[in-house]
Every structure is written in structure tokens, then in C-alpha cells.
């Protein structure tokens, strides 16, 4: 039987961060893209929401940065298994952009400069769950990380947070985006490890 000295509590251990299954913690910010990085000057930037009936609402860069901004601090999880905790962003809640949009759609397809797309249920873009962000860690968002503006949907794998986002089309029926058509999961919940179709 082991003898313990009075007051011995063992080695102090910092609490391990809780990560989704299969993920590892990183402190850098890996850059992964489906193609070349487009360079979009802010004076040419435009974001458009298109409804299933063809109605459109558009915002220029100047329009976007004049809207009420939020500063979410969130954890992000990449399907390639890295997680980065406590990331700080600045941008506009999609709730603000959807305030005057009338739609019966259940699904959305995000479109990026450069041709990338990704699909999401519309409910995952609302109720304080998603933003259009233009700053990271107090600095303008660099093009390699999706600047000038990217979608931020932190509760899903990071491929759903489309870089260089230029619009969202609302749809009555779901339609796969770039990675989803290549076999990635249609939803992508990191806590359920939904990396690929069938997960």
C-alpha cells in the first residue's frame, strides 16, 4: 500500500480543452483552399441574398461595414482534424441581413468569388449562429483566410464557413455544394464527426 505525505495532491494538471472527436488542438491558423486565392478589392465587393422567387438584396462593402457589428469569439473545427479555440472575429450577424428578406425556403447555398459553394439548412444561419466577418484578431481578414469577407458558421466544420463569400441563394430543396458533391457530409457537425457522407 502506498504511503502519501500529508498535503500531497499529485501532479497539478491543466484542464484539457474539450474537442470534438478525432480533432487535435492547433495554435496557428492553417490555410486550406479548394483553389487559388481570389483577390477582391473592397470597392468591388458585393454580397447578395437571392430568394427562391428571384428577389435580391445586395450590400456593397461600405453598406456592410456600416451595419451594426458583432465580435464573436468562437472555436473553429476543420474537417482535416485541427481545432482552434477562442478565435476572435468582427462582422455582421446574418440575422441583420435577413431582417427584411421574405422566404419560404428551408435551405441555403453560399457562393464565393472563385466559384466555391457550400450548402446549409437556413436555420443554421439564423438565431445568432452565423456571421459575415471581415476582421480576425483585430485585423482586416487576410485573403488566404477568406478576406475581405467570409461566412462564419462555427458550430459546423469549417468548410461550411465559405471564404470570399459573395452571396447566399435560398432554396426550397437542398442542393450539394462543392465538397458535398465530392462526398463530404451534407451537414458537417463536428461533435457528431460528420466528415463524409454516411458518417
Amino acid at each position: 500500500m502506498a504511503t502519501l505525505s500529508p498535503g500531497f495532491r499529485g501532479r497539478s494538471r491543466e484542464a484539457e480543452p474539450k474537442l470534438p472527436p478525432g480533432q487535435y488542438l492547433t495554435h496557428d491558423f492553417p490555410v486550406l483552399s479548394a483553389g487559388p486565392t481570389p483577390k477582391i478589392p473592397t470597392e468591388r465587393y458585393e454580397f447578395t441574398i437571392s430568394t427562391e422567387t428571384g428577389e435580391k438584396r445586395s450590400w456593397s462593402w461600405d453598406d456592410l461595414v456600416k451595419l451594426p457589428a458583432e465580435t464573436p469569439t468562437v472555436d473553429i473545427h476543420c474537417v482535416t482534424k485541427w481545432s482552434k479555440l477562442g478565435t476572435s472575429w468582427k462582422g455582421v450577424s446574418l440575422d441583420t441581413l435577413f431582417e427584411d428578406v421574405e422566404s419560404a425556403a428551408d435551405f441555403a447555398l453560399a457562393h464565393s468569388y472563385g466559384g466555391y459553394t457550400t450548402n446549409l439548412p437556413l436555420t443554421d444561419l439564423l438565431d445568432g449562429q452565423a456571421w459575415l466577418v471581415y476582421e480576425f484578431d483585430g485585423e482586416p481578414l487576410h485573403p488566404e483566410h477568406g478576406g475581405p469577407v467570409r461566412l462564419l458558421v462555427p458550430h459546423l466544420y469549417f468548410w461550411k464557413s465559405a471564404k470570399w463569400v459573395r452571396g447566399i441563394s435560398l432554396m426550397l430543396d437542398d442542393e450539394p455544394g462543392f465538397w458535398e458533391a465530392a462526398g463530404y457530409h451534407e451537414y458537417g457537425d463536428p461533435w457528431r464527426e460528420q466528415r463524409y457522407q454516411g458518417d
Side-chain angles (χ1 to χ4, degrees), residues 80-101:
T80 61
K81 301 193 175 184
W82 60 262
S83 290
K84 186 171 175 63
L85 305 183
T87 62
S88 299
W89 307 83
K90 182 178 181 180
V92 178
S93 170
L94 283 182
D95 294 319
T96 300
L97 299 175
F98 275 98
E99 270 177 7
D100 298 320
V101 175

Side-chain angles (χ1 to χ4, degrees), residues 8-137:
F8 180 79
R9 290 186 176 83
R11 199 178 313 173
S12 96
R13 206 183 278 167
E14 287 185 31
E16 290 290 323
K18 185 162 173 53
L19 297 175
Q23 297 292 111
Y24 69 87
L25 186 62
T26 186
H27 296 287
D28 58 0
F29 197 163
V31 175
L32 300 166
S33 301
T37 298
K39 303 285 194 282
I40 305 108
T42 54
E43 60 270 18
R44 285 190 18 235
Y45 181 79
E46 185 176 71
F47 179 80
T48 302
I49 295 175
S50 306
T51 71
E52 73 280 10
T53 62
E55 291 184 43
K56 295 182 187 294
R57 294 287 313 272
S58 295
W59 294 264
S60 67
W61 168 262
D62 288 339
D63 295 332
L64 195 65
V65 297
K66 286 177 187 169
L67 292 172
E70 296 183 5
T71 53
T73 297
V74 296
D75 302 338
I76 54 176
H77 309 289
C78 183
V79 72
T80 61
K81 301 193 175 184
W82 60 262
S83 290
K84 186 171 175 63
L85 305 183
T87 62
S88 299
W89 307 83
K90 182 178 181 180
V92 178
S93 170
L94 283 182
D95 294 319
T96 300
L97 299 175
F98 275 98
E99 270 177 7
D100 298 320
V101 175
E102 291 187 21
S103 175
D106 290 322
F107 301 99
L109 189 68
H111 301 265
S112 297
Y113 289 93
Y116 180 79
T117 56
T118 190
N119 60 313
L120 307 102
L122 181 55
T123 54
D124 284 271
L125 297 178
L126 304 174
D127 296 326
Q129 298 182 94
W131 298 264
L132 292 187
V133 292
Y134 47 79
E135 285 187 14
F136 173 72
D137 217 10

